[in-house]
Amino acid sequence: MSVAEVVVDVPTMQTNRPFEYAIPNSLEDVVVPGMRVEVFFGRGKRKVQGFVMKINETSSFSGKLKPINRVIDLRPVLTPEMLKLSSWLADETYSFEISCLQTMLPSVMRAKYKQFIEPVEEFVDDQEVISLLDGNPSLEITPQMSDEKLQLINHLRRQNKIKIEYVVENQARQLKRQAITTELNTIQLHEQKNNLRSNAKAQFKLINFLIDNLDKLPIEMGEVEGISRATIKTAEKNGLLKIVEVTKRRKPIEITPEQTTKLNLTEEQKSAVDQINDSIDNSKSDTFLIEGVTGSGKTEVYLQSIERALKQGHSALMLVPEISLTPQMVNRVTGRFGDKVAVLHSGLSNGERYDEWTRIENGEAQVVVGARSAVFAPLKDIGLIIIDEEHEASYKQDDNPRYHARNVALWRAKQHKCPVVLGSATPSLESRARAQKGVYHLIYMKKRVNEHPLPHVQIIDMRDAENSAVKGDISPLLQDNLYRAIKRGEQAIVLLNRRGYSSFMMCRECGFTLKCPNCDVSLTYHKDLAKMKCHYCGHDEPVPSICPNCKSKKIGFYGTGTQNIEHQLNEILPQARVLRMDVDTTHKKGSHAKIIKAFGDHKADILLGTQMIAKGLDFPNVTLVGVINADTTLSIADYRASERTFQLLTQVSGRAGRADKEGHVIIQTFNPDHYAIKDASKQDYENFYKQEMYLRHQSNYTPYYFTTLISVAHKDEGQALKQGYWLKRQLQEALSDHAILLGPTPTMISRKQNKYYYQVIVKYKHEPKLHQKLLDILNDTQADTKKGFTIAIDNEPQHID
Ligand code: ADP
Ligand code: ZN
Ligand code: ZN
């Protein structure tokens, strides 16, 4: 009788290891590593889910093993590589192995779903298949199914006679929407058009729309632009069209493959591609850092390296910060590699996600593009991993397990013996320092492909009399340049650098701000709800008209919002068409892509937005970039504030002058002499790197020191603080004199969801005992005496707040 090692879904320190279970004879062939099973756990008859990690012939346990109750999956949901990865990841992030296993699963496997067996086409008439399905087209797998049946299923699956399909229960809300369609053909439509009265302009437009889009019908009402409902109704009455209901599967992100042919590489590009290809050809797990100015053509380097990996029979994995923010990159990859590409993103419905996952798993898709979690894509034989915009904080998960996709990528690259390419115009200091030490290979791309100089950047000192005198936030120089760019038929991007989403309320009489009763944060205004809402706990309340504190009517919105700037732009430049992109205009799925496309089609002159417009966009007609308030990110209490500011300004400046027209950037600031702003204005990463490294060295921060942030929380503030000191004492025991311990201090938002947060920061170079100590601390926090007390360990935090 063989034995399965199972990691059970009981996330505690005590259960954070595999447990042995007997595999009943009847399931002998069925159970394999990577599958989920149901087992009884503990003394009671508690059924839990678990992952089979390993199968052994004998047990080390002397007593009687409990048997596996039943199998949940009929085929492994995680590959052997992922099982191995989970142990490493758990250790690296101080998480439970079960959380790591769950994190790696495609979300459809976490959702409620049903499994069905269907015959593989060629075997529809197979005798065994027919008897299994009992003449039905498919068979649902139920927990009650006998083991004999499961064995038969397994047997047939191994012969590839049947396949297993997952169907998600309550399939991601199938939305019913109204759409228009017509039964008339082009000729008939033209006839109808000719019969219209000459003043029936709207009907004329509608018929033209139908003619142009005949092959796309039915089209949802919402997508018919510039034609009113009344016009559609009239047309329906006249028999021109029909209104039908369509069930629209949510296809949130429009991927429109951009066909580009292989370009002739510039010298810098060629050198980069050659080095990467050499590693691919020789199966070396080198790490390359491409430090390439904006517009240096990094995308083409990625594409041609992917091509090489594919040619060598390997697959390729490409990570981007966020799919919805980088549609152009996705379009270019899908344009080049077509059906070979699987795109993984959060906007997919569970069903779609499952489809993509299957395509990757069975090797149909050899190129995967996705955000952070795509690093777990079940690709086999990876030949290349690319991480674009490698400095982005979004590659680090904010919740347990707090993993960094870059580290996971490096781990996988070692397994697959393939190179990793990190690309950025503004590499993270960690990566750049590693390249300095020779751990990574540094590849410079210093020239823009179009040979154009980098955009001309002007820093505007907002303290100057002229600027402080203007009403509003837009300096005369920026006003003037916007006016002239638009007059020339060119486009502009205006960035409002915002710290959060803040549109909060403040009383101008007494300074009162409206705060959440549960959390220590300001409530922010949500236009769609017309309410003030807390971002942490969801509490909402009506917008006050008088100050709850002093009853003054002078309570109003504070903080320069994008809406406010939009309003100012409309006043200054009434002729300019402004598109706004911020949390407000993009909370609906797919709206990012829509706005980006509209701007690309020159349906607007100015794209106004927050941080989300700074990245990766490539609009040839944009010649002017304006930054309203460069300082916001500088003022945050985080040692990465300068780095983030430099990155943001460099990235957004890079949006100007990408094609044949020259670019111009105007940065408004109250700190014109700050090195982050000055270096960004020259796109001088190397100078910034030197200065910032010096300061990090002075203050003992990354990359000179490792950092671990541990936070504790409790409902009672005194308890939280007490535990903070307990934590510090614990750490002191394990650490040498060289380590630096900060805190406990309240986190910047010290109360969230009615819990108080205190944090301790450890900075260290070499502390061999720290790792085990942190595990012990985690273990201790599970004791009864620590009830109601939560702890989180963040290794190399992206934010300290
Ligand atoms: P970045 O390095 O900022 O990511 P991109 O990859 O977006 O730059 O390239 C900038 C522009 O240059 C794109 O429009 C791209 O099509 C073009 N480009 C890149 N490489 C070449 C080349 N070898 N020849 C001609 N155009 C190129
Ligand atoms: Zn007041
Ligand atoms: Zn709250």
Side-chain angles (χ1 to χ4, degrees):
M1 184 189 66
S2 22
V3 172
E5 291 188 12
V6 178
V7 171
V8 293
D9 193 0
V10 182
T12 68
M13 269 323 267
Q14 292 75 19
T15 53
N16 191 27
R17 62 177 177 90
F19 287 85
E20 287 185 323
Y21 283 89
I23 302 175
N25 285 335
S26 53
L27 289 177
E28 194 71 36
D29 282 342
V30 179
V31 177
V32 291
M35 231 178 221
R36 286 173 303 175
V37 291
E38 187 184 271
V39 293
F40 285 108
F41 189 76
R43 256 165 252 125
K45 277 262 165 186
R46 182 165 155 221
K47 275 192 224 161
V48 299
Q49 209 185 75
F51 285 81
V52 177
M53 305 299 287
K54 222 174 135 191
I55 291 176
N56 302 324
E57 285 316 309
T58 52
S59 164
S60 54
F61 184 65
S62 55
K64 191 172 177 294
L65 290 178
K66 284 183 200 155
I68 284 175
N69 200 27
R70 68 175 182 98
V71 292
I72 292 174
D73 304 299
L74 279 182
R75 51 184 245 206
V77 287
L78 290 176
T79 60
E81 185 198 358
M82 291 299 129
L83 296 179
K84 199 169 157 194
L85 174 59
S86 75
S87 313
W88 174 82
L89 197 61
D91 197 52
E92 161 108 355
T93 60
Y94 302 97
S95 338
F96 302 121
E97 190 153 1
I98 189 70
S99 330
C100 295
L101 291 164
Q102 303 280 24
T103 297
M104 288 179 205
L105 271 187
S107 59
V108 60
M109 304 286 178
R110 273 173 265 156
K112 272 205 165 162
Y113 58 85
K114 293 178 173 174
Q115 299 178 68
F116 289 90
I117 295 161
E118 282 176 14
V120 169
E121 216 156 330
E122 300 92 281
F123 293 97
V124 183
D125 297 326
D126 183 277
Q127 222 29 59
E128 275 181 308
V129 172
I130 290 176
S131 78
L132 173 70
L133 299 183
D134 221 1
N136 296 312
S138 69
L139 172 70
E140 185 182 344
I141 299 170
T142 61
Q144 290 76 34
M145 208 168 242
S146 72
D147 290 349
E148 292 75 51
K149 215 160 206 180
L150 288 176
Q151 270 180 334
L152 177 59
I153 289 170
N154 200 46
H155 168 70
L156 293 177
R157 192 178 68 80
R158 288 211 181 134
Q159 292 180 304
N160 261 330
K161 289 187 175 175
I162 53 168
K163 55 187 179 184
I164 295 157
E165 294 288 338
Y166 289 71
V167 175
V168 180
E169 285 179 30
N170 46 39
Q171 175 64 270
R173 265 155 294 149
Q174 297 229 339
L175 302 175
K176 284 237 188 287
R177 298 219 187 113
Q178 289 204 311
I180 58 168
T181 188
T182 181
E183 286 171 349
L184 307 180
N185 61 30
T186 321
I187 300 167
Q188 291 165 321
L189 284 168
H190 277 287
E191 276 171 12
Q192 293 284 343
K193 196 164 80 175
N194 294 336
N195 293 341
L196 286 176
R197 275 175 291 124
S198 61
N199 60 355
K201 290 229 171 69
Q203 291 297 319
F204 191 81
K205 195 170 165 192
L206 176 57
I207 296 180
N208 275 339
F209 177 86
L210 290 173
I211 293 170
D212 290 346
N213 294 289
L214 212 47
D215 53 336
K216 293 189 205 127
L217 296 175
I219 292 180
E220 280 181 42
M221 294 273 221
E223 318 239 298
V224 186
E225 271 169 36
I227 295 169
S228 73
R229 261 195 116 78
T231 310
I232 292 174
K233 284 274 182 218
T234 313
E236 187 194 19
K237 240 187 271 155
N238 298 338
L240 260 171
L241 57 77
K242 281 190 155 177
I243 298 179
V244 292
E245 277 211 327
V246 288
T247 15
K248 178 87 174 170
R249 255 226 261 163
R250 292 209 279 185
K251 250 263 147 69
I253 292 167
E254 286 287 322
I255 294 168
T256 33
E258 185 183 332
Q259 221 86 41
T260 53
T261 44
K262 203 169 155 178
L263 300 170
N264 282 327
L265 299 179
T266 64
E267 232 163 81
E268 283 185 333
Q269 284 174 321
K270 186 168 183 318
S271 158
V273 170
D274 284 349
Q275 293 180 61
I276 297 163
N277 287 355
D278 184 66
S279 284
I280 296 174
D281 295 353
N282 295 298
S283 305
K284 288 196 279 186
S285 57
D286 296 324
T287 306
F288 296 95
L289 174 64
I290 302 184
E291 182 184 323
V293 295
T294 53
S296 59
K298 293 186 282 297
T299 311
E300 190 62 24
V301 172
Y302 302 152
L303 292 176
Q304 297 205 11
S305 306
I306 294 174
E307 192 187 329
R308 180 65 147 249
L310 296 181
K311 206 174 259 167
Q312 301 281 29
H314 304 298
S315 60
L317 172 61
M318 174 165 192
L319 301 183
V320 294
E322 205 182 311
I323 293 275
S324 58
L325 296 185
T326 49
Q328 289 176 323
M329 180 64 87
V330 177
N331 293 344
R332 279 171 198 177
V333 178
T334 45
R336 190 72 59 93
F337 302 107
D339 289 344
K340 291 191 179 132
V341 184
V343 181
L344 294 176
H345 55 83
S346 55
L348 293 179
S349 73
N350 275 328
E352 290 163 327
R353 209 163 235 263
Y354 174 70
D355 291 345
E356 291 296 73
W357 189 79
T358 320
R359 286 181 60 229
I360 300 166
E361 207 206 12
N362 64 26
E364 252 173 78
Q366 294 112 44
V367 181
V368 171
V369 184
R372 184 179 60 227
S373 63
V375 77
F376 301 118
L379 280 168
K380 291 183 197 90
D381 190 13
I382 303 176
L384 173 67
I385 304 178
I386 295 165
I387 304 186
D388 189 34
E389 310 286 1
E390 70 90 32
H391 61 277
E392 281 290 327
S394 64
Y395 285 126
K396 175 86 185 270
Q397 177 151 297
D398 263 343
D399 265 322
N400 271 333
R402 295 181 159 80
Y403 70 92
H404 199 300
R406 193 202 293 131
N407 294 344
V408 178
L410 293 174
W411 185 93
R412 291 195 77 182
K414 270 220 188 80
Q415 304 290 313
H416 291 264
K417 301 193 173 60
C418 76
V420 174
V421 174
L422 309 173
S424 176
T426 55
S428 63
L429 257 77
E430 294 94 304
S431 294
R432 179 62 185 78
R434 245 163 250 161
Q436 189 78 32
K437 280 192 176 166
V439 183
Y440 297 168
H441 303 269
L442 186 56
I443 299 178
Y444 287 116
M445 288 174 57
K446 296 185 174 178
K447 286 194 213 129
R448 284 192 149 186
V449 173
N450 57 14
E451 298 272 337
H452 273 203
L454 288 166
H456 167 65
V457 182
Q458 265 176 296
I459 297 177
I460 307 295
D461 187 347
M462 293 304 280
R463 297 167 307 184
D464 277 358
E466 183 200 9
N467 296 320
S468 53
V470 288
K471 224 175 99 214
D473 304 278
I474 306 169
S475 64
L477 189 91
L478 181 53
Q479 294 187 15
D480 184 45
N481 278 279
L482 282 168
Y483 174 80
R484 284 190 291 164
I486 291 161
K487 204 165 165 205
R488 288 193 301 268
E490 294 162 6
Q491 289 168 286
I493 286 179
V494 175
L495 171 78
L496 183 70
N497 181 12
R498 283 216 289 180
R499 179 126 191 235
Y501 309 122
S502 64
S503 202
F504 59 92
M505 294 208 82
M506 193 175 90
C507 173
R508 269 140 232 250
E509 205 74 57
C510 73
F512 171 87
T513 55
L514 198 60
K515 286 196 166 172
C516 174
N518 311 317
C519 312
D520 207 12
V521 291
S522 303
L523 296 177
T524 56
Y525 177 58
H526 275 241
K527 208 180 81 187
D528 42 335
L529 300 171
K531 275 185 171 166
M532 305 301 293
K533 197 167 169 167
C534 170
H535 279 284
Y536 288 93
C537 72
H539 165 88
D540 63 38
E541 53 185 79
V543 181
S545 52
I546 55 166
C547 170
N549 187 43
C550 74
K551 310 281 179 260
S552 153
K553 279 192 180 150
K554 283 197 182 159
I555 186 161
F557 290 107
Y558 190 78
T560 326
T562 32
Q563 264 172 305
N564 184 347
I565 300 287
E566 182 182 24
H567 191 71
Q568 294 182 32
L569 285 169
N570 288 336
E571 293 225 314
I572 300 162
L573 302 161
Q575 75 283 17
R577 295 163 300 167
V578 181
L579 254 180
R580 181 161 60 91
M581 183 147 141
D582 58 18
V583 274
D584 247 2
T585 62
T586 56
H587 64 262
K588 273 222 318 250
K589 292 202 166 154
S591 34
H592 274 117
K594 256 193 196 149
I595 295 175
I596 288 170
K597 183 163 187 313
F599 191 62
D601 294 344
H602 205 162
K603 295 211 172 110
D605 306 298
I606 300 175
L607 178 63
L608 162 69
T610 51
Q611 270 78 334
M612 61 177 81
I613 61 169
K615 277 170 236 162
L617 300 177
D618 188 20
F619 299 113
N621 197 36
V622 169
T623 55
L624 177 65
V625 166
V627 180
I628 300 286
N629 48 348
D631 313 280
T632 317
T633 35
L634 269 186
S635 61
I636 57 177
D638 186 328
Y639 72 95
R640 289 185 204 263
S642 300
E643 189 182 355
R644 296 269 174 254
T645 306
F646 175 81
Q647 285 163 350
L648 176 66
L649 296 180
T650 309
Q651 294 289 343
V652 74
S653 302
R655 303 309 114 214
R658 293 176 72 85
D660 30 323
K661 294 169 207 154
E662 231 178 277
H664 184 189
V665 180
I666 294 173
I667 297 176
Q668 299 187 169
T669 174
F670 291 92
N671 293 285
D673 299 320
H674 194 285
Y675 67 98
I677 290 177
K678 274 178 138 169
D679 290 336
S681 78
K682 289 181 236 138
Q683 302 237 343
D684 191 345
Y685 176 81
E686 286 297 307
N687 207 47
F688 172 77
Y689 170 69
K690 280 196 202 101
Q691 174 79 18
E692 183 68 14
M693 283 295 271
Y694 173 76
L695 291 172
R696 297 277 177 98
H697 186 61
Q698 294 289 306
S699 51
N700 304 326
Y701 267 116
T702 311
Y704 290 97
Y705 273 73
F706 296 112
T707 318
T708 302
L709 185 146
I710 307 123
S711 64
V712 294
H714 196 276
K715 270 205 163 89
D716 181 82
E717 188 168 17
Q719 279 298 320
L721 181 61
K722 205 171 123 197
Q723 298 298 355
Y725 278 108
W726 169 79
L727 181 67
K728 187 170 186 174
R729 275 196 311 279
Q730 293 287 309
L731 288 165
Q732 266 160 348
E733 283 173 20
L735 296 172
S736 74
D737 296 343
H738 301 292
I740 301 166
L741 260 175
L742 304 175
T745 48
T747 56
M748 202 177 64
I749 294 160
S750 60
R751 195 165 57 121
K752 280 180 247 174
Q753 298 186 315
N754 271 330
K755 279 195 170 185
Y756 289 86
Y757 284 77
Y758 278 83
Q759 66 188 15
V760 172
I761 295 169
V762 188
K763 298 197 279 183
Y764 64 100
K765 285 199 168 172
H766 182 67
E767 294 295 336
K769 287 193 197 150
L770 177 63
H771 190 81
Q772 187 55 46
K773 188 69 198 180
L774 287 171
L775 292 176
D776 293 346
I777 289 173
L778 271 182
N779 204 6
D780 288 349
T781 57
Q782 308 252 313
D784 278 350
T785 49
K786 297 270 190 295
K787 272 232 163 77
F789 162 62
T790 52
I791 184 161
I793 300 177
D794 192 354
N795 214 353
E796 297 306 312
Q798 288 292 310
H799 316 274
I800 292 186
D801 53 21

